[in-house]
Amino acid sequence: MKDVAVLFDMDGLLIDSEPLWLEAETAVMARLGVQWTEADQRQLLGGSLDRSVSYMLARAARPVPPETLATWLMADIIARVRRNVPLRPGARELLASVARAGLPHALVTSSERSFMDAVLAATGLRFDVLVCADDVTATKPDPESYLLAAKLIGVPPADCFALEDSPNGVASAEAAGCRVIAVPSVVPIPPAPGRTVVRSLLDLRADPGGIFPRGG
């Protein structure tokens, strides 16, 4: 059997961080004189810090320098994660079964390293390879992060199972040539050729051949 690997997104897939991001974004935008909504949050789903900051500044009534807004946002979300970061249903169990199956696995996130490190410290989750926004020149939906993860883990993208919850993430993994399993969180993701869509990580199983829907 040829080697395969599993590449995991983080926000919205393994951790239920979207409510925390909404709280952090709402608090920061209140400082800028603007009411933040869930519709605004959906515009940022699966994107980079730079894109989030640009969008938020375009909405701001009292603009501040981009680096100031970024500092406020990251300080707020990291403080919230350190207090509590709930895992998505089935996350810990699936990661454990991936490890038991002997599958190399990577974390592939568009988040900054400071946030990723805070999440890993709070949850105790472990990966063979870590790829975050600081490691690439272009974040999701660009394929660079998935291509880098596949290179670092030593498995061709076509033999990597990429698990994602957002359209940006799905686009990134598909452009890299990975086998994509979508587990939508905030925004619906339709089935497509070569793409598997499930409702929850609880619907997936791991064996030495990769990740598959239960019963499939």
Side-chain angles (χ1 to χ4, degrees):
M1 181 181 295
K2 64 181 178 180
D3 291 337
V4 298
V6 186
L7 312 179
F8 290 91
D9 177 47
M10 186 175 74
D11 283 282
L13 181 88
L14 294 176
I15 60 171
D16 191 14
S17 56
E18 301 309 334
L20 301 181
W21 279 109
L22 179 59
E23 292 171 2
E25 291 157 4
T26 299
V28 167
M29 292 305 286
R31 299 174 71 171
L32 303 181
V34 173
Q35 184 174 358
W36 192 251
T37 68
E38 291 183 6
D40 288 313
Q41 185 195 24
R42 284 195 290 271
Q43 296 296 317
L44 309 183
L45 191 66
S48 66
L49 177 63
D50 286 345
R51 188 165 69 87
S52 296
V53 167
S54 295
Y55 180 90
M56 295 169 82
L57 284 176
R59 294 269 287 108
R62 296 191 293 270
V64 296
E67 58 272 20
T68 299
L69 195 155
T71 298
W72 289 352
L73 183 59
M74 294 311 299
D76 191 303
I77 190 65
I78 288 173
R80 293 177 193 275
V81 163
R82 286 174 176 164
R83 289 194 296 270
N84 178 46
V85 56
L87 292 176
R88 298 283 291 179
R92 199 175 294 279
E93 294 84 353
L94 184 59
L95 278 165
S97 65
V98 165
R100 285 195 301 270
L103 298 172
H105 48 292
L107 187 66
V108 186
T109 176
S110 289
S111 293
E112 305 294 299
R113 179 169 285 112
S114 58
F115 180 67
M116 178 186 71
D117 288 346
V119 168
L120 295 177
T123 61
L125 300 180
R126 295 291 179 265
F127 300 86
D128 300 310
V129 165
L130 302 173
V131 174
C132 66
D134 303 70
D135 300 316
V136 296
T137 58
T139 56
K140 304 171 187 178
D142 189 277
E144 183 182 353
S145 56
Y146 275 106
L147 291 172
L148 176 60
K151 179 181 178 180
L152 292 175
I153 214 160
V155 175
D159 297 323
C160 291
F161 291 78
L163 279 69
E164 274 285 354
D165 74 296
S166 72
N168 273 342
V170 166
S172 172
E174 289 183 340
C178 300
R179 309 183 198 181
V180 176
I181 300 175
V183 190
S185 59
V186 176
V187 178
I189 299 173
R195 178 193 307 166
T196 300
V197 180
V198 297
R199 291 180 299 176
S200 166
L201 295 174
L202 293 168
D203 298 327
L204 298 172
R205 61 178 178 84
D207 65 34
I211 301 287
F212 306 97
R214 292 190 178 277

